[in-house]
Amino acid sequence: MIVRSEGMKIPWMNLINCIVLVVFCYSIEVCNGQDYGGEEAVKAAPPPAQENCDGVFVTYAFDNREREYPFVKNVTAQSWAFTSMLTVINTGLFELKSWKVHVGFQHNEILISTDGAVAMGGDGFPVKTGKNGTVLAGFPQADLKTAIDTAGDFTQMAAQVKIKGTQFGVPTKSTPMPKSINLLNDGYKCPAPKKFKTFMQMCCKKDPKFKPKNTSIKFMERQKGDLSFTYDVLSAFESKYQAQVTIDNISPLGRLDRWNLTWEWMRNEFIYSMKGAYTHKKDPSECIYGPQGQYYKDFDFSTVMNCQKKPVISDLPPEMENDDKLGKLPFCCKNGALLPTTMNGTKARSIFQMEVFKLPPDMNRTALYPPQNWKIEGRVNPSYKCGPPIRVDPTGFPDPSKIGITLNAVASWQITCNISRPQPKQAKCCVSFSAFYTDSVVPCNTCACGCEQTSKCDGNAKPLPLPAQALLVPFQDREKLAKEWNRIKRLGSMPNKLPCPDNCGVSINWHLESNYKTGWTARMTLFNWGNDPFVDWFTAVQMKKNLGDGYENVYSFNGTKLPQRTNTIFMQGLKGLTYLVGQVNGTNPNKDPKVPGKQQSVISFLKKNTPNVNIEGGDGFPSKVIFNGEECALPPNFPKNHAAFKSQVGLLPAVLLALLTFLLLTDQFH
């Protein structure tokens, strides 16, 4: 029974019409002419922009987002979980090998997963993109074939990447899109993408001016970089394969000491055995309780080298070089030393081998996938940013029988790494500046190599000017010197919270020693504040303008000007002086501060080829200083030349100051 109030009328006619319409629609039969059953539905036509693209069609589509905990009122601090889709389609005539796309994320996105690609950088997920975006590279489908070669098989000619992550600072009603997208493969030119509310698209076409260097290769051309890994599969079986990893130091200024290499297995592989290197952890439980133990049920995992998804691998010491089980490989067992070719070409390569076991669905000889997210680090060495593995033509090896036959690897991949410039407060060495025309030193930057605790000091304050002798004592002993210097020089009131130390294990002082009509000199002093010595150390300075053309000599180091970089001077220890020793106790440990390891040399320049340089105006100070491959943090400014200390007053004061400083340094260390 329906009870109806007087003020409410039920629209009976509309209700009846709706019921009739539903019954009518339900009774309609769709008629297919000559319907034999089993036919697929007609696929939706691609967008016009894709149909008209003769190259590579790239789209980014935003899917949705949800507010994440914790809920905050500050819009910039509120996090959102989002999903999106990146699609790369080969619509051209040429196979696209090892595709990679830059996505210009701009909302401090943190990528949690990218199904169908890996994020370049070497750290694995989660990936912090910041405001500069990130590069995604195809995996496991790195190569996109053409429609002609696959009869239009979309699964072989296209890649779809499902992106999941977190983003910040997005108003509730806005659609958070990237700044841009761009295909990074060589030989393609991409216009600015067309942007819509929830997606963007672009068509990249072959650059007619681009000519590949080697057209005879089947796979990608080998890339150039500062460091190169080659991942060679030497032999392959259904459930396992033998692999060799070769590390080549290519940069004339790159270097690694006691290197630690890590990567990420993407398909549950594990390392059964290894020669020429070792893993830091051996724990069979990760295999026993993982998918490896579920498949290899009767396998003895106690003998397995490593079961980690991200193993950490290091070089063996020289004593293991002739070991029958672990050594006897060329270029192995150097205790993790990779020197530049400018120092020693035989120590610029490292090799190790391993036996890798696989899991389903990769149980056949041709199912071979290299690990991803390669990363390598050393001690006071440059930071390397590595790209994804790219398939290259198989590496050729000389036949052991020496009859002239070349043996090829089953498959080969190359991973190229380049040196990245240290971020502020993340360097591993620092530089201070001083000059003959002033008695104050511009010290290393505050927190140049990082600051763990800033409760007792100011991590953002400018460093205080120091007297020359302060460079010879540890930072904790400089406070009294800095305060006294400030009082003597009347530099103003001291802050309540003094600047934090630079916290660098290695510091370098560049002292402008003299400036005269025909030439000028500088003195470089290296300080090792650590306990361990640096073996076979080297340093390099890059001068401003064309001052490298005026380089004459280095007197206490072995110096040369690099032919590849005409403005860069490369220096290393003379024979018998290749050790930069660590710090030691003072003469009286109870009252004297510790003394750093030190080496120094004078460097002379001529003005014949550089007549218009302003040495005291800043040209006499380097634009880049490198120690053992690591770029050191430079001060933001250099010592200013005041009128009372101009070099025109004569050369004698400069000589006396240099002599006094030299005697001071010598006295402190002997």
Side-chain angles (χ1 to χ4, degrees), residues 477-643:
D477 299 311
R478 296 181 187 177
E479 182 176 331
K480 185 177 179 181
L481 289 171
K483 290 180 178 179
E484 185 64 18
W485 192 250
N486 183 275
R487 184 188 65 80
I488 294 173
K489 293 297 177 180
R490 299 179 181 179
L491 299 176
S493 59
M494 294 286 288
N496 294 328
K497 217 174 185 181
L498 294 180
C500 292
D502 53 67
N503 292 318
C504 294
V506 175
S507 61
I508 298 173
N509 174 248
W510 180 272
H511 178 75
L512 193 59
E513 195 157 70
S514 67
N515 182 23
Y516 46 95
K517 187 175 181 180
T518 58
W520 60 284
T521 60
R523 186 185 67 247
M524 177 181 248
T525 308
L526 312 177
F527 299 98
N528 180 7
W529 297 99
N531 296 321
D532 298 324
F534 288 96
V535 184
D536 294 324
W537 62 267
F538 79 84
T539 186
V541 291
Q542 180 177 307
M543 302 306 299
K544 301 175 183 178
K545 300 182 179 178
N546 60 339
L547 285 182
D549 295 338
Y551 163 70
E552 182 185 23
N553 198 8
V554 176
Y555 296 93
S556 301
F557 297 158
N558 187 2
T560 182
K561 188 170 67 172
L562 292 182
Q564 310 97 316
R565 309 182 183 191
T566 57
N567 236 19
T568 301
I569 303 164
F570 183 89
M571 291 167 280
Q572 56 184 314
L574 295 171
K575 189 175 181 180
L577 297 172
T578 57
Y579 273 69
L580 179 59
V581 300
Q583 68 175 358
V584 295
N585 289 328
T587 306
N588 188 343
N590 294 325
K591 64 177 183 178
D592 294 337
K594 287 190 174 183
V595 178
K598 175 186 72 73
Q599 287 199 38
Q600 66 176 358
S601 178
V602 172
I603 311 167
S604 62
F605 298 84
L606 298 176
K607 291 184 178 179
K608 180 179 178 181
N609 298 322
T610 58
N612 298 320
V613 295
N614 185 358
I615 300 301
E616 298 169 29
D619 293 343
F621 296 93
S623 59
K624 183 183 293 186
V625 176
I626 291 172
F627 179 80
N628 276 10
E630 171 75 7
E631 183 176 344
C632 302
L634 295 179
N637 48 39
F638 52 87
K640 297 296 189 293
N641 186 0
H642 301 292

Side-chain angles (χ1 to χ4, degrees), residues 60-65 82-85 163 175-177 198-199:
Y60 177 93
F62 178 79
D63 186 9
N64 61 63
R65 64 188 176 111
F82 78 97
T83 58
S84 60
M85 176 79 75
I163 302 172
T175 303
M177 293 289 289
T198 60
F199 72 98

Side-chain angles (χ1 to χ4, degrees), residues 361-378:
D362 302 331
M363 305 304 284
N364 62 71
R365 292 176 181 267
T366 58
L368 301 169
Y369 298 94
Q372 300 287 322
N373 297 323
W374 290 59
K375 186 176 183 180
I376 191 166
E377 294 178 335

Side-chain angles (χ1 to χ4, degrees), residues 387-437:
I390 60 170
R391 186 78 179 267
V392 295
D393 277 0
T395 304
F397 300 97
D399 184 12
S401 63
K402 299 180 181 179
I403 60 176
I405 301 174
T406 300
L407 303 178
N408 285 342
V410 176
S412 297
W413 287 264
Q414 185 197 25
I415 299 92
T416 304
C417 309
N418 289 299
I419 295 173
S420 59
R421 191 170 188 179
Q423 297 296 318
K425 299 186 180 182
Q426 294 181 15
K428 297 175 183 176
C429 55
C430 65
V431 179
S432 61
F433 286 158
S434 57
F436 66 86
Y437 50 78

